[in-house]
Amino acid sequence: MKRLIIISGYSKGIGRQLAEEYARQLGTECGIIGISRTEPDELTRLLNREAGWFRSLRADLAEHQRLRSLLDQLDDLCDRHDEERGKPESVVLINNAALLDPLKTLGRLWRDDGHITEASHALTANCLAPTLLAGWFIERFATLESDHKIILNMSSGASQGPMPGAGIYSMSKAAINMLSMSIAAEQKHAPNPVKAVSLSPGMVETNMQEMIRSKNADDFPEVDFFRSAAEEGKVRSPEDIARAIISMNLTTLESGGYYHLRGFF
């Protein structure tokens, strides 16, 4: 099966491991488009060597004024993919990129212009950008006859309840879950529907986890919970998470559903 996989935030963490594992496991069968603020040379060489086709887009998803240009470039890359490899039989969009900051209790957030800017960037990268990418994906592949047209929205356990000090992040991940549900409702009667699911990977040893553990308790009251989890070995590696995701049969999941990855290990 000829596959095309689009991953935002592909240069590090879970996104990087997903790109590497897809390339290694699927080889020439797999085309990959990576979206990120950076393009690590080592990763580019690996993906060019292992995947059947790879292209990258350098973009900052927190800059809302540049999102339309990004989508136009993404459209052009898909045209190039189809010209060089033919149309894909399976397409997956993984909305993985996200910003954590500002980690501040809401009562502290409003006092500082820098924190307000961080909040705006987080909501753009975590909510608006995935929504626009999803909308583009739905239109781009509307006529593709396949039962493997999937949007995987990376969610978080923080979407399921309030986490003091992480209000912006929690709200944005709750919005991601609603994005999946909204896509499912809108695609219910489409002739060639796109499926959307939200997936929480749990605690993963990434830069985001390091940032969380570095905060003080005044800004992020839950910090001791995350420090203890790391000390007790409860934080999984990005490699484990990527392999578990790739092993999942996404077509069997209910569109609009929220899933935690612990149920698939």
Side-chain angles (χ1 to χ4, degrees):
M1 181 186 293
K2 194 181 302 178
R3 305 168 190 256
L4 177 61
I5 299 156
I6 303 165
I7 308 172
S8 71
Y10 85 101
S11 66
K12 56 187 178 181
I14 296 173
R16 177 170 183 148
Q17 293 305 318
L18 281 169
E20 291 187 8
E21 285 298 322
Y22 272 120
R24 290 190 180 109
Q25 293 190 29
L26 301 180
T28 57
E29 182 182 310
C30 175
I32 297 173
I33 297 175
I35 304 170
S36 182
R37 289 177 292 182
T38 60
E39 299 175 21
D41 291 340
E42 180 185 355
L43 178 61
T44 297
R45 287 193 295 270
L46 184 149
L47 296 178
N48 279 323
R49 183 176 66 249
E50 300 287 346
W53 188 92
F54 168 69
R55 297 293 186 277
S56 63
L57 278 176
R58 181 173 289 186
D60 187 344
L61 298 183
E63 297 181 355
H64 68 86
Q65 68 273 20
R66 298 189 180 183
L67 291 177
R68 178 56 190 272
S69 174
L70 164 67
L71 298 173
D72 289 339
Q73 293 176 68
L74 195 50
D75 222 30
D76 291 341
L77 278 185
C78 285
D79 287 341
R80 189 184 308 175
H81 171 273
D82 293 355
E83 290 168 4
E84 296 175 4
R85 297 186 77 236
K87 290 188 179 295
E89 300 163 274
S90 164
V91 287
V92 178
L93 167 64
I94 303 178
N95 275 320
N96 168 70
L99 296 176
L100 178 64
D101 273 333
L103 279 181
K104 298 281 181 184
T105 55
L106 299 178
R108 290 169 170 254
L109 184 64
W110 67 275
R111 296 192 182 105
D112 187 291
D113 287 345
H115 297 153
I116 294 172
T117 298
E118 286 180 334
S120 176
H121 287 169
L123 291 172
T124 299
N126 299 6
C127 300
L128 180 59
T131 299
L132 297 180
L133 283 165
W136 166 84
F137 183 91
I138 290 166
E139 182 175 334
R140 171 78 197 191
F141 299 107
T143 60
L144 178 65
E145 295 183 3
S146 170
D147 61 357
H148 205 278
K149 300 193 299 185
I150 297 168
I151 298 172
L152 179 60
N153 289 319
M154 297 304 291
S155 186
S156 168
S159 71
Q160 300 299 290
M163 183 179 294
I168 296 295
Y169 182 75
S170 295
M171 286 186 283
S172 71
K173 289 304 182 180
I176 277 290
N177 298 346
M178 183 53 69
L179 172 61
S180 295
M181 289 187 279
S182 296
I183 293 168
E186 292 183 3
Q187 289 288 293
K188 187 174 183 179
H189 300 296
N192 299 296
V194 169
K195 173 177 285 190
V197 295
S198 298
L199 179 67
S200 171
M203 288 183 284
V204 188
E205 191 54 57
T206 62
N207 291 344
M208 190 175 286
Q209 279 289 320
E210 292 178 4
M211 186 185 303
I212 288 173
R213 296 194 296 263
S214 72
K215 297 298 180 180
N216 64 64
D218 289 335
D219 288 332
F220 187 54
E222 302 296 313
V223 65
D224 284 342
F225 170 79
F226 287 89
R227 290 172 180 166
S228 296
E231 292 168 0
E232 295 167 9
K234 295 180 179 178
V235 182
R236 293 186 179 273
S237 72
E239 293 86 352
D240 287 345
I241 298 300
R243 292 183 190 115
I245 291 172
I246 292 173
S247 70
M248 295 169 62
N249 184 352
L250 297 176
T251 62
T252 64
L253 304 183
E254 182 181 356
S255 190
Y258 167 86
Y259 299 87
H260 197 290
L261 196 56
R262 63 172 169 258
F264 298 90
F265 277 104

